[in-house]
Amino acid sequence: MTLTAEEHSQTTTLTAEVQSQNFKAQGNQYFKAGQLDEAISAYTQGIGLFETAILYANRAAVHLKKGSFRLAFLDAEKAILFDPEYTKAFYRRGCAYLGMLEFENGLKDFKMVVASHPSDPFARKKLTQCRSLLKKLRMREMLVHDSNPFLEKEAFFTESIPKGYDRYVLPTITEIPNMTWEDVMEMVDAFENPSNKLHWSQLRPLLRACYNILKEENTVVRVSCDEAVVFGDTHGQFFDLAAVLRRGEECTPERPFIFLGDYVDRGDHSTEILAVLMVLKVRNPSSIIILRGNHESSQLSSMFGFQGEVEAKYSDSLIPLFTHLFFAMPLCAVVNDTYFCVHGGLPVTTTDMSDLESIDRFHEVPSDGPFAQLMWADPSKTVERGPSERGPGFSVFGKGIIDSFLADNDLEYVIRAHQVFQEGHEWFHDKLLSIFSAPNYMGSQNNAACVAIVSKGRPVIETFSSINHPKSSHLSYVNNFSQGFMGR
């Protein structure tokens, strides 16, 4: 029996639809297993055979998990185009808006979700969370911009440990410079016990002492040393950082530590990481450089866990202090006139170092311009200049921009952080090294991590794996808007 052209077309369409559903099922399994790139590939193959709103929305969910908010937004938009009644697509677009810091647009989508499912308690809870987040952000922005909390009266920063206090007590601010490396490691060991968090009456003066040092440093810090140890993102994974500190040598002006930002969010021990870094800075300011990352901001840290951690462990009254500490952090460093160290990437509009040195850093990270690009931009192996998958205002840059920046400033290498790679690092065009220092990121990525050792010539990579963490070490304080409506 010979099929008519119409029957043949229907059979072909049916076969493509069935194959597409098979790829959807594969993608779901990959997503559950945490194999995000494989999940994206499966959904993409399914879309290539037979486009559906569900496939686009599922791929949007994976992009949300990876932090690729612009790609999540584009997929959610496609899903809405295919099915304007598909509520999950609006929910995921709302999540993408939040990731791109477009809070008002996100709120509109969550309102629509609740309007479609007025009796769904989960949807109403998410709308309430979004409204609460926006309210907190507005209030904290007013507090931050109205006054500098470090200008409070001296009594506000008086160290006053209660009598009989039997947990770890940090040396006083005037005594910290006398701490030996053994003393530092004793502090690190103590912080691994949850009951030994730093007492709030010691945290406030430590914040101010560190702030007073950081605010005097240049936006571009110049470092001359025998060698330096460069750390990428640590993201609240204190136990992994503690393991690295134990196995290495202490930081000194001749062998400083250079941290590239993103100390906070997602991991549950951001305050412990910051406490250790602040103690090291007060102990010997030339032995450690603490650069700012994109998560050292009020907006991101309110969404991704840090502010929730501060509220849970201390009080929200400390959040303005941390915010102004973030404002004081330098943006980049030049080591031995050879290495340019930064959290995110290179500006795409200037190669002039004086333009970077003149940036006013004492405020929130803007949405575009050189400041934003230093915090947010990503290198590319294929694109010379273009938009980033992270969202509007962010950029990617390629070989030409890297070569021009290094040549114009008589430098040899760029070392940056900001991205997860399975091997803990990635080279771009043999001149830019991207490193990440949070192994098994968020407890699910199964990635290695590394630090870079620099002196002269090509950086040396030292990789390390995750250690055993306490059960609740990740995402406990995150406003996780990517959860819910996630069924496949």
Side-chain angles (χ1 to χ4, degrees), residues 122-133:
F122 189 87
R124 299 193 70 84
K125 179 181 178 182
K126 289 299 180 183
L127 177 59
T128 300
Q129 287 179 335
C130 187
R131 283 173 170 158
S132 176
L133 173 62

Side-chain angles (χ1 to χ4, degrees), residues 22-134:
N22 290 337
F23 279 117
K24 171 180 171 286
Q26 290 178 22
N28 295 347
Q29 291 301 314
Y30 282 131
F31 186 87
K32 290 178 182 177
Q35 297 174 264
L36 303 184
D37 290 335
E38 291 82 357
I40 288 174
S41 177
Y43 292 139
T44 301
Q45 291 180 76
I47 288 169
L49 289 166
F50 193 86
E51 293 177 283
T52 67
I54 293 175
L55 278 168
Y56 277 113
N58 283 8
R59 194 170 69 178
V62 187
H63 287 313
L64 286 172
K65 186 76 171 178
K66 286 172 66 71
S68 301
F69 299 115
R70 176 175 172 271
L71 296 182
F73 169 80
L74 293 174
D75 273 348
E77 288 266 274
K78 277 277 194 177
I80 292 167
L81 183 65
F82 272 89
D83 185 355
E85 305 299 319
Y86 191 43
T87 309
K88 291 179 184 178
F90 286 93
Y91 184 87
R92 288 173 187 159
R93 187 175 71 176
C95 295
Y97 274 132
L98 293 181
M100 296 187 295
L101 309 182
E102 296 184 29
F103 300 110
E104 296 290 350
N105 286 331
L107 183 62
K108 290 177 184 177
D109 275 346
F110 289 125
K111 285 180 178 178
M112 194 287 271
V113 172
V114 170
S116 299
H117 295 74
S119 62
D120 187 328
F122 189 87
R124 299 193 70 84
K125 179 181 178 182
K126 289 299 180 183
L127 177 59
T128 300
Q129 287 179 335
C130 187
R131 283 173 170 158
S132 176
L133 173 62
L134 273 169

Side-chain angles (χ1 to χ4, degrees), residues 164-224:
Y165 186 77
D166 60 356
R167 299 174 184 175
Y168 177 78
V169 176
L170 183 70
T172 64
I173 296 300
T174 57
E175 294 170 341
I176 286 176
N178 298 323
M179 290 177 69
T180 65
W181 189 246
E182 289 73 22
D183 295 331
V184 171
M185 297 315 301
E186 180 183 343
M187 173 186 64
V188 170
D189 292 343
F191 286 166
E192 288 191 317
N193 183 339
S195 67
N196 276 329
K197 66 179 184 181
L198 195 61
H199 192 272
W200 65 267
S201 71
Q202 289 201 297
L203 184 55
R204 286 198 303 202
L206 179 60
L207 278 159
R208 186 173 69 163
C210 188
Y211 169 83
N212 286 336
I213 295 170
L214 291 174
K215 72 182 179 67
E216 298 302 323
E217 294 185 331
N218 293 327
T219 297
V220 180
V221 181
R222 301 277 177 168
V223 180
S224 180

